[in-house]
């Protein structure tokens, strides 16, 4: 099987899972327990937390809350950060952010949506125009999960702060963490990440938070995660996340360079009579969004699956809706959206993988086209 | 000694004269199948059945399962006691309301019982009034009933109400039909209606993977499982017609896509009917509902069939079908958003009144036999 749906989820990193096994077996203690066993688990978790922070931020300036995943991190950031006035986001967001913004309306906060450019990046000027003295929060996705376009969140955050220093800046970094070189600056207040996009486990994520920033608790209870997210910690998940990140960050630049070549190789081999390209060239090396215009992407996905190639149509979380909200915001027509096919890579992806995938994709799409 | 029982009365079986024994035998088998997995004893008594010795905490489940069996006219939650007046009174106390008007009605199968029906009613009614001053007798329009049934074997049944059953005839007494089960609202209702008349309903589903997805098949599986609660047939067959759709799309006039596909479905269904011993096909078609369900469309399907095609919904409005689907409990699943027939191949303007000669002409462009053979190769048997 050739797995090219890594933006949906990655296979768990076996070495990371093996290393974390001890927290399922002998070190199963509750990290809040006051005896030796509990303390050792507590210490391990602390190590994992610090390790993860240091990957992309200065531990003196940032904290990290373990969560159940990217969606929870986004929810926590948005509902904690936007409690009055208005909040600004983009039309290119993942549903975890977009739907939370829609909900803000019911909570007395005015949501504002900035338009995106053709490639999925936000229109910077339009975004800034929406920010005013009443803007509580701005949220901009770091890497667009459907097109792979990268927003320059650092420049955006700086510009937002220049316009209103009290506005919080959040970014959904789920498709960026462990894939792009990132260093969180002081302009970024909140940053969401997920474990299962980099070899960790589903059900684990984290929210980076600038120190001294007050958030509301998201789950009330025993006061874990500095009182912001109560509940006995998912120790095994958090440890696997930290170990997977350790491995992923060690080869981050080399992986990026290699996958950029593979991404372009795949594009080169795909039949241009059938496929059009959606992803920008300066987007993440990990995603190549294409469209078999006039065909049904979901049917192609199933045909590919039968031939041993796994790809996606876009955001897995929204694959129940016929057309992608994000691609519609980019201005694509229905036929292009209908045919959307997203290829996404991991460091495990090989050149043979993409060559074989392209061959099968061309064949399957030609068959489909012939049947139309 | 007082035992909680469920009393089952049957619907039309008594009409069956000399065949009554046959109908009753099948009815008992069906009741047993419906109660499978629940501890119980099923006893036949004069003109009715009793479910005894079940876990009383699961009484509602017993009532529900039994109530769904076709052939059940009504069931009651009852108390089984020895047929002496003290025991009957104890049971009557449990069945009687806490306050308001009531009436005791007695039926006496044991004619040797020392009191007449009227005397028993009067005696129990009197005792209840003395026991609970909030009660009042009203023989004309009582708010509640206490029914006493003196049986021949030295026991009596006391109960307060009747719950209507599914009615109809026991499944298995009226032949076998092959149901063309789509993922829509109509076909489960059609299957239900035929099963209600005693037919054994074997469901068959056509899908077009990869044009349709796994979710659509799962949905049909759920519908079949739901239907099985009534039909007691816990299996489903599926056939993939994707290639047939492709060929029709490629070679034939676009406005006949659906018409031609339906003819293939009928032919394949007949082959499978032969395998399962079905004597007819059942569809959820309703006259004029969609383009393929016009008189011309139905004629086109009939003309390739040798078995009768039963269409129990033919004269129903959509509203009426939906109402029945809701009652059966299939509506919620039927409206789940999965495409059961891929819209990739749907014509923009389907033929509404296609002439048979035109249909046959277009169909002649295909190797019908080979396509059917190939589709038969995709037949899957699913145990629900």
């Amino acid at each position: 099987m050739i797995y090219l749906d890594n933006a949906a989820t990655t296979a768990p990193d076996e070495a990371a899972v093996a290393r974390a096994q001890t927290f399922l077996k002998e070190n199963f203690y509750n990290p809040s327990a006051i005896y030796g066993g509990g303390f050792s688990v507590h210490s391990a978790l602390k190590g994992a937390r610090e390790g993860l922070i240091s990957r992309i931020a200065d531990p003196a300036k940032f904290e990290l809350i373990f969560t159940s995943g990217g969606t929870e991190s986004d929810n926590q950031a948005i509902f904690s950060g936007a409690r009055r006035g208005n909040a600004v986001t983009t039309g290119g967001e993942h549903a975890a952010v977009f739907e939370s913004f829609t909900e803000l309306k019911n909570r007395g906060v005015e949501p504002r949506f900035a338009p995106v450019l053709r490639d999925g990046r936000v229109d910077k000027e339009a975004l800034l125009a929406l920010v005013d003295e009443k803007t509580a929060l701005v949220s901009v996705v770091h890497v667009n999960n459907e097109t792979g376009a990268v927003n320059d969140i650092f420049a955006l955050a700086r510009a937002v702060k220049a316009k209103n220093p009290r506005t919080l800046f959040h970014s959904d970094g789920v498709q960026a963490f462990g894939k792009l070189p990132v260093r969180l600056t002081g302009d970024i207040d909140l940053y969401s990440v997920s474990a299962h996009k980099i070899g960790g486990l589903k059900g684990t994520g984290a929210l980076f938070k600038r120190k001294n920033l007050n958030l509301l608790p998201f789950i009330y209870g025993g006061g874990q995660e500095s009182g912001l997210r109560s509940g006995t910690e998912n120790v095994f998940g958090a440890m696997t996340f930290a170990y997977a990140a350790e491995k992923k960050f060690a080869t981050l630049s080399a992986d990026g360079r290699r996958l950029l070549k593979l991404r372009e190789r795949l594009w080169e081999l795909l039949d241009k009579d059938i496929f059009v390209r959606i992803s920008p060239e300066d987007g993440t090396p990990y995603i190549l969004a294409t469209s078999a215009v006039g065909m049904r992407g979901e049917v192609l996905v199933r045909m590919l699956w039968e031939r041993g190639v796994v790809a996606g149509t876009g955001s897995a979380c929204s694959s129940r809706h016929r057309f992608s909200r994000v691609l519609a915001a980019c201005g694509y027509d229905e036929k292009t959206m209908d045919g959307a096919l997203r290829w996404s890579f991991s460091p495990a992806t090989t050149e043979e993988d993409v060559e074989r995938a392209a061959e099968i994709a061309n064949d399957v799409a030609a068959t489909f086209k012939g049947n139309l | 000694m007082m035992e909680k029982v469920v009393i089952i009365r049957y619907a039309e079986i008594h009409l069956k004269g000399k065949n009554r024994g046959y109908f009753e035998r099948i009815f008992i088998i069906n009741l047993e199948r419906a109660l499978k997995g629940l501890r119980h004893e099923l006893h036949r008594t004069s003109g009715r059945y009793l479910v005894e010795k079940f876990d009383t905490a699961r009484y509602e489940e017993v009532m529900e399962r039994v109530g769904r069996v076709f052939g059940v006219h009504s069931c009651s939650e009852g108390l089984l006691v020895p047929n002496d007046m003290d025991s009957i009174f104890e049971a009557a106390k449990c069945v009687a309301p806490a306050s308001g008007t009531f009436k005791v009605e007695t039926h006496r199968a044991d004619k040797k019982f020392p009191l007449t029906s009227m005397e028993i009613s009067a005696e129990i009614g009197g005792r209840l009034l003395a026991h609970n001053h909030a009660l009042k007798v009203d023989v004309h329009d009582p708010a509640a009933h206490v029914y006493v049934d003196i049986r021949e074997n030295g026991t009596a049944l006391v109960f307060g109400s009747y719950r209507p059953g599914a009615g109809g005839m026991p499944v298995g007494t009226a032949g076998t039909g092959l149901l063309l089960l789509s993922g829509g609202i109509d076909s489960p209702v059609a299957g239900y209606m035929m099963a209600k008349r005693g037919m054994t309903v074997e469901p068959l589903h056509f899908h077009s993977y990869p044009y349709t997805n796994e979710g659509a098949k799962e949905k049909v599986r759920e519908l079949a499982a739901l239907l099985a609660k009534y039909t007691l047939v816990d299996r489903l067959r599926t056939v993939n017609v994707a290639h047939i759709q492709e060929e029709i799309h490629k070679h034939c006039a676009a406005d006949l896509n659906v018409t031609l596909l339906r003819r293939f479905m009928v032919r394949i269904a007949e082959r499978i009917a032969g395998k399962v011993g079905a004597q007819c096909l059942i569809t959820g078609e309703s006259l004029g509902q969609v383009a393929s369900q016009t008189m011309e469309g139905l004629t086109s399907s009939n003309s390739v069939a040798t078995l009768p095609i039963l269409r129990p919904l033919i004269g129903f409005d959509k509203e009426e079908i939906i109402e029945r689907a809701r009652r059966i409990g299939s509506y919620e699943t039927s409206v789940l958003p999965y495409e059961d027939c891929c819209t990739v191949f749907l014509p923009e303007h389907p033929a509404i009144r296609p002439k048979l000669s035109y249909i046959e002409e277009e169909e002649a462009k295909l190797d019908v036999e080979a396509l059917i053979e190939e589709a038969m190769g995709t037949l899957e048997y699913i145990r629900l």
Side-chain angles (χ1 to χ4, degrees):
Chain A
M1 184 187 72
I2 300 170
Y3 184 71
L4 297 179
D5 197 19
N6 290 284
T9 194
T10 51
D13 183 284
E14 279 178 39
V17 173
R19 260 178 92 187
Q21 285 281 325
T22 176
F23 297 98
L24 281 183
K25 294 177 181 163
E26 41 300 319
N27 285 305
F28 61 86
Y29 309 102
N30 189 320
S32 301
I34 52 174
Y35 37 80
F39 187 74
S40 76
V41 175
H42 172 85
S43 302
L45 198 59
K46 189 162 172 258
R49 192 187 308 276
E50 284 166 0
L52 281 167
I53 297 172
S54 65
R55 304 282 164 224
I56 60 165
D58 178 356
K61 293 190 178 131
F62 278 87
E63 299 171 324
L64 179 148
I65 307 159
F66 281 116
T67 68
S68 69
T71 296
E72 186 189 317
S73 301
D74 287 341
N75 273 253
Q76 157 77 300
I78 291 159
F79 294 123
S80 229
R83 277 179 281 154
R84 62 187 72 78
N86 65 66
V88 180
T89 189
T90 83
E93 299 296 314
H94 185 275
V97 169
F98 194 85
E99 295 300 326
S100 297
F101 264 73
T102 309
E103 163 63 16
L104 281 179
K105 233 183 316 186
N106 302 327
R107 304 188 182 196
V109 179
E110 180 205 341
R112 296 178 175 178
F113 298 94
V116 294
L117 306 172
R118 184 75 170 178
D119 66 3
R121 272 180 309 145
V122 67
D123 179 336
K124 186 180 173 185
E125 294 315 312
L127 179 90
L128 289 174
L130 293 174
V131 176
D132 57 28
E133 69 282 359
K134 286 193 175 158
T135 303
L137 175 91
V138 172
S139 180
V140 177
V141 69
H142 195 173
V143 172
N144 185 308
N145 60 304
E146 294 192 39
T147 69
V150 181
N151 281 305
D152 184 353
I153 56 166
F154 309 103
L156 287 165
R158 203 177 323 119
V160 166
K161 297 278 177 177
K163 201 160 177 198
N164 181 350
R166 284 177 311 152
T167 301
L168 297 180
F169 191 93
H170 165 253
S171 179
D172 178 331
V174 168
Q175 298 293 353
F177 184 73
K179 299 177 177 180
L180 301 185
V182 176
R183 209 70 210 162
L184 295 184
T185 61
D187 292 327
I188 302 208
D189 301 286
L190 295 154
Y191 191 75
S192 306
V193 301
S194 170
H196 75 104
K197 312 288 191 187
I198 59 158
L201 304 176
K202 293 156 197 73
T204 332
L207 178 62
F208 285 79
K209 148 187 176 304
R210 186 170 51 75
K211 273 193 176 168
N212 307 322
L213 170 67
N214 283 326
L215 291 182
L216 287 179
F218 196 63
I219 297 178
Y220 291 84
Q224 291 88 346
E225 301 298 311
S226 315
L228 295 174
R229 207 278 183 189
S230 286
T232 301
E233 298 86 342
N234 173 4
V235 179
F236 179 63
M239 297 311 295
T240 310
F241 188 12
Y243 296 147
E246 187 181 320
K247 208 171 139 188
K248 193 73 197 56
F249 276 87
T251 57
L252 189 140
S253 323
D255 288 340
R257 282 193 299 273
R258 195 174 67 84
L259 291 179
L260 191 63
K261 277 190 209 141
L262 291 189
R263 187 191 73 183
E264 292 312 308
R265 177 78 181 132
L266 176 60
W267 174 241
E268 183 190 325
L269 293 172
L270 286 174
D271 186 342
K272 305 299 182 299
D273 285 340
I274 295 169
F275 292 98
V276 300
R277 178 172 178 147
I278 291 172
S279 284
E281 299 215 346
D282 60 355
T284 175
Y286 284 76
I287 292 174
L288 176 69
T290 59
S291 172
V293 182
M295 297 181 211
R296 216 18 129 65
E298 57 156 326
V299 176
L300 282 175
V301 164
R302 288 193 285 273
M303 289 175 153
L304 287 167
W305 167 264
E306 296 298 322
R307 299 276 303 270
V309 175
V310 190
T313 49
S315 176
C317 307
S318 67
S319 52
R320 272 154 205 250
H321 301 287
R322 169 101 185 253
F323 297 122
S324 152
R325 167 180 49 76
V326 171
L327 294 184
C330 295
Y332 285 101
D333 58 56
E334 289 196 353
K335 282 194 162 178
T336 309
M337 290 192 283
D338 223 2
L341 208 53
R342 181 185 69 180
W343 312 88
S344 50
F345 318 104
S346 86
T349 310
T350 64
E351 190 161 355
E352 292 87 75
D353 285 345
V354 299
E355 284 169 358
R356 183 92 185 103
E359 191 186 317
I360 293 172
N362 290 338
D363 187 36
V364 158
T367 309
F368 189 2
K369 200 174 181 182
N371 290 336
L372 285 178
Chain B
M1 191 206 81
M2 191 166 11
E3 193 198 337
K4 206 165 182 173
V5 296
V6 170
I7 307 160
I8 302 164
R9 300 167 199 88
Y10 48 64
E12 289 177 34
I13 298 175
H14 59 276
L15 299 174
K16 292 298 167 186
K18 283 185 186 154
N19 287 323
R20 181 167 160 169
Y22 166 73
F23 281 86
E24 285 209 43
R25 264 197 310 282
I26 291 177
F27 186 49
I28 290 190
I29 293 171
N30 291 352
L31 286 173
E32 289 288 5
R33 277 157 83 188
L35 289 169
K36 207 167 131 188
L38 287 179
R39 179 168 58 82
H40 71 278
E41 280 177 25
L42 183 64
H43 296 293
R44 184 180 176 282
T45 87
S46 51
R48 64 196 60 179
Y49 296 87
L50 286 187
V51 189
E52 297 174 37
K53 309 248 173 357
F54 54 87
D55 179 355
T56 52
R58 299 178 79 173
Y59 145 75
E60 254 310 318
E61 198 181 339
V62 173
M63 285 287 276
E64 234 174 72
R65 289 204 199 183
V66 162
R68 276 197 299 258
V69 175
F70 292 122
V72 172
H73 177 264
S74 67
C75 32
S76 302
E77 167 185 17
L79 293 168
L80 183 66
V81 293
N83 66 0
D84 60 77
M85 291 306 281
D86 288 344
S87 301
I88 292 170
F89 171 58
E90 285 307 309
K93 277 198 289 187
C94 301
V95 168
S99 64
T101 60
F102 77 103
K103 175 190 181 184
V104 180
E105 260 182 52
T106 304
H107 171 81
R108 200 178 54 141
D110 178 5
K111 303 296 178 194
K112 290 187 291 260
F113 194 76
L115 301 178
T116 65
S117 296
M118 293 295 278
E119 287 167 342
I120 298 166
S121 295
E123 166 81 16
I124 297 297
R127 286 207 211 180
L128 284 171
L129 287 176
H131 168 73
N132 179 354
H133 298 294
L135 287 175
K136 237 178 102 179
V137 169
D138 181 343
V139 291
H140 299 296
D141 186 22
H145 275 98
V146 174
Y147 296 100
V148 178
D149 198 346
I150 308 285
R151 308 200 309 159
E152 285 164 326
N153 62 354
T155 60
L157 286 168
V158 182
F159 57 95
S161 63
Y162 291 82
R163 190 190 291 188
M169 297 296 295
V171 161
T173 58
T176 301
L178 189 77
L179 171 69
L180 275 59
L181 183 68
S182 71
I185 298 165
D186 307 339
S187 51
V189 178
Y192 175 93
M193 288 178 69
M194 293 322 299
K196 188 175 177 185
R197 291 315 300 160
M199 187 167 271
T200 299
V201 174
E202 294 278 354
L204 166 68
H205 174 65
F206 293 105
H207 64 92
S208 355
Y209 186 86
Y211 297 102
T212 53
N213 61 25
E214 300 283 354
K217 213 163 143 188
E218 187 51 38
K219 170 182 162 181
V220 172
R221 216 187 137 100
E222 265 175 52
L223 282 175
L226 199 136
L227 201 55
K229 288 185 187 171
Y230 301 97
T231 64
L232 306 171
V233 172
D234 55 356
R235 47 190 175 266
L236 167 70
R237 289 175 176 82
T238 65
V239 168
N240 189 341
V241 290
H243 189 226
I244 294 176
Q245 283 189 284
E246 290 171 356
E247 289 297 302
I248 293 173
H249 189 82
K250 241 187 272 180
H251 302 292
C252 309
D255 62 347
L256 287 183
N257 265 352
V258 180
T259 310
L260 291 174
L261 179 62
R262 289 203 73 91
R263 283 161 66 94
F264 274 96
M265 287 178 171
V266 166
R267 290 184 180 109
I268 294 167
E270 284 217 335
R271 298 240 179 148
I272 292 165
K275 281 177 189 273
V276 304
Q279 301 135 304
C280 65
L281 307 183
I282 307 166
T283 73
E285 287 160 315
S286 149
L287 189 65
Q289 196 186 90
V290 291
S292 63
Q293 297 177 20
T294 55
M295 210 44 236
E296 287 79 359
L298 300 180
T299 305
S300 147
S301 301
N302 277 14
S303 68
V304 292
T306 56
L307 296 177
I309 303 178
L310 302 185
R311 300 180 171 98
L313 305 180
I314 197 71
F316 280 50
D317 293 348
K318 196 76 191 177
E319 290 300 310
E320 292 170 302
I321 300 171
I322 288 173
E323 206 269 316
R324 277 173 193 249
R326 280 189 202 278
R327 254 191 287 149
I328 298 167
S330 60
Y331 182 75
E332 300 302 318
T333 308
S334 286
V335 296
L336 287 177
Y338 287 109
E339 287 166 25
D340 53 356
C341 177
C342 187
T343 51
V344 168
F345 296 117
L346 278 189
E348 275 179 39
H349 300 290
I352 296 170
R353 305 192 185 289
K355 281 210 180 70
L356 202 52
S357 55
Y358 172 44
I359 295 168
E360 284 167 352
E361 207 175 286
E362 285 299 308
E363 197 176 65
K365 296 175 183 169
L366 302 170
D367 187 347
V368 173
E369 246 339 276
L371 285 171
I372 291 173
E373 261 323 302
E374 192 201 318
M376 285 301 290
T378 68
L379 174 64
E380 266 183 85
Y381 176 94
I382 300 167
R383 252 206 125 76
L384 301 168

